[in-house]
């Protein structure tokens, strides 16, 4: 099942994608794709609905972030061995954990805003894990029982803010528009195994990232278990699990985004995104 949210920013309605690729409105069934709607029982109830019984949504309607009311937007750094190598970093012994501001979250095709004073705006296609039920001190064996599904994330980054301004990575990761999520939340049963999914990203038609989740160091079950040792994970929390090689910082010489650039990215079975870069205030 592919769940989504459609409509204007801040007023999205819940929906699902039918077998013909058309959006069906779920607002008569649930209030949002958020919170307890992501629980196993709720997802089973949604899966039992005949999509043909739901109203069609007009073509061209904006698609919003596939999860609403995200409580925590967690990210894992240097989680692909080949990406760590391109940046000259050592693969960590334990997952590197940081947070993006939830105010960074946008729809999959919304604009990316280049912040004021930005000089090193970068991209990262990532596999997102969406939590469906509370996880606290869960074992790796039971971790995926707490996962609702998966999605595409562009972990947009400002490298100068992240690496040259002191302190933690967060200020280079949490700017407005730095967290496109979606288009779909693909439920765990439909997504199947996610340990060897093709992942790609292009800028202005040039492919920079062309990797696979198989080079992920810490897999989703490991990550959910690990993070749950330090904080409880709640329904609707999102974990962005790291990126394969090909980021702008890793090019020789480095390549960074500019206003007018068009980014397209996707993950096998999980959909694709398309964003245009605009200047702050532009």
């Amino acid at each position: 099942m592919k769940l989504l949210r459609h409509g204007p920013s801040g007023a999205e309605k819940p929906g699902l994608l039918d077998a013909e690729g058309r959006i069906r409105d779920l607002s008569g069934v649930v209030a949002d794709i958020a919170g307890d709607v992501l629980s196993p029982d709720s997802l089973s109830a949604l899966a039992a609905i005949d999509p043909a019984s739901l109203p069609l949504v007009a073509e061209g309607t904006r698609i919003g972030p596939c999860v609403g009311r995200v409580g925590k937007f967690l990210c894992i750094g240097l989680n692909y061995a080949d990406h760590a190598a391109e940046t000259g970093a050592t693969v960590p012994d334990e997952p590197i954990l940081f947070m993006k501001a939830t105010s960074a979250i946008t729809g999959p095709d919304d604009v990316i805003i280049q912040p004021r004073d930005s000089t090193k705006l970068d991209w990262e296609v990532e596999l997102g894990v969406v939590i469906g039920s509370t996880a606290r001190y869960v074992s790796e064996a039971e971790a995926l029982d707490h996962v609702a599904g998966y999605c595409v994330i562009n972990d947009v980054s400002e490298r100068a803010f992240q690496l040259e301004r002191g302190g933690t990575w967060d200020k280079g990761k949490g700017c407005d528009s730095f967290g496109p999520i979606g288009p779909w939340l693909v439920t765990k049963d439909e997504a199947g195994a996610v340990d060897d999914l093709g992942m790609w990203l292009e800028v202005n038609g040039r492919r920079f990232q062309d990797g696979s989740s198989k080079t992920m160091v810490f897999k989703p079950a490991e990550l959910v278990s690990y993070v749950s040792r330090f904080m409880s994970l709640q329904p609707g929390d999102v974990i962005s699990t790291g990126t394969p090689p090909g980021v702008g910082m890793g090019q020789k010489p480095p390549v960074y985004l500019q206003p007018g650039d068009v980014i397209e990215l996707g993950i096998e079975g999980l959909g694709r995104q398309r964003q245009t870069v605009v200047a702050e205030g532009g």
Side-chain angles (χ1 to χ4, degrees):
M1 184 167 53
K2 293 182 174 72
L3 299 172
L4 61 108
R5 301 168 71 245
H6 61 92
S9 178
E12 292 92 348
K13 296 179 180 180
L16 61 77
L17 200 69
D18 68 18
E20 287 73 42
R22 298 172 299 186
I23 299 174
R24 300 279 181 168
D25 183 59
L26 274 172
S27 57
V29 181
V30 294
D32 201 354
I33 306 300
D36 291 342
V37 171
L38 300 169
S39 71
D41 288 346
S42 176
L43 292 180
S44 294
L46 291 178
I49 296 172
D50 177 6
S53 69
L54 300 170
L56 279 168
V57 174
E59 290 188 23
T61 297
R62 172 184 175 270
I63 296 175
C66 59
V67 185
R69 304 198 310 273
V70 175
K72 293 188 286 296
F73 192 178
L74 301 149
C75 299
I76 309 299
L78 301 175
N79 194 33
Y80 282 67
D82 37 9
H83 170 57
E86 77 170 342
T87 61
T90 302
V91 174
D93 293 328
E94 295 189 31
I96 294 173
L97 178 63
F98 63 94
M99 292 191 180
K100 289 176 85 83
T102 55
S103 53
I105 294 173
T106 58
D109 301 328
D110 291 344
V111 297
I112 290 173
I113 302 168
Q114 183 180 40
R116 295 176 187 173
D117 304 318
S118 166
T119 58
K120 298 181 179 180
L121 188 63
D122 206 347
W123 59 81
E124 296 186 11
V125 59
E126 304 205 0
L127 170 69
V129 177
V130 180
I131 300 300
S133 60
T134 300
R136 186 168 182 265
Y137 295 110
V138 298
S139 68
E140 189 176 325
E142 64 184 348
L144 294 186
D145 294 341
H146 298 271
V147 170
Y150 305 94
C151 64
V152 180
I153 295 176
N154 187 357
D155 176 18
V156 183
S157 308
E158 212 303 332
R159 302 301 188 187
F161 294 179
Q162 176 189 358
L163 302 172
E164 300 170 18
R165 301 289 294 271
T168 65
W169 291 1
D170 298 59
K171 56 181 169 276
K173 294 285 190 172
C175 301
D176 290 355
S177 80
F178 275 24
I181 295 180
W184 333 121
L185 163 58
V186 182
T187 52
K188 187 173 53 181
D189 58 320
E190 179 163 333
V194 295
D195 54 358
D196 190 9
L197 298 181
M199 307 170 66
W200 59 274
L201 183 145
E202 297 176 351
V203 180
N204 300 329
R206 175 184 170 188
R207 183 156 296 199
F208 282 92
Q209 292 190 274
D210 196 359
S212 168
S213 60
K214 69 183 177 183
T215 65
M216 192 183 293
V217 178
F218 304 104
K219 309 299 184 184
E222 296 175 84
L223 294 173
V224 171
S225 175
Y226 181 84
V227 175
S228 78
R229 301 175 204 172
F230 303 99
M231 65 194 76
S232 61
L233 293 170
Q234 307 294 333
D237 286 350
V238 176
I239 303 174
S240 197
T241 58
T243 195
V247 300
M249 179 176 62
Q251 305 302 309
K252 301 186 185 308
V255 176
Y256 295 115
L257 295 166
Q258 302 296 329
D261 286 345
V262 176
I263 309 162
E264 296 183 87
L265 60 146
I267 299 178
E268 179 183 353
L270 303 184
R272 58 191 295 157
Q273 303 182 352
R274 184 181 190 274
Q275 298 113 24
T276 300
V277 180
V278 300
E280 175 72 38

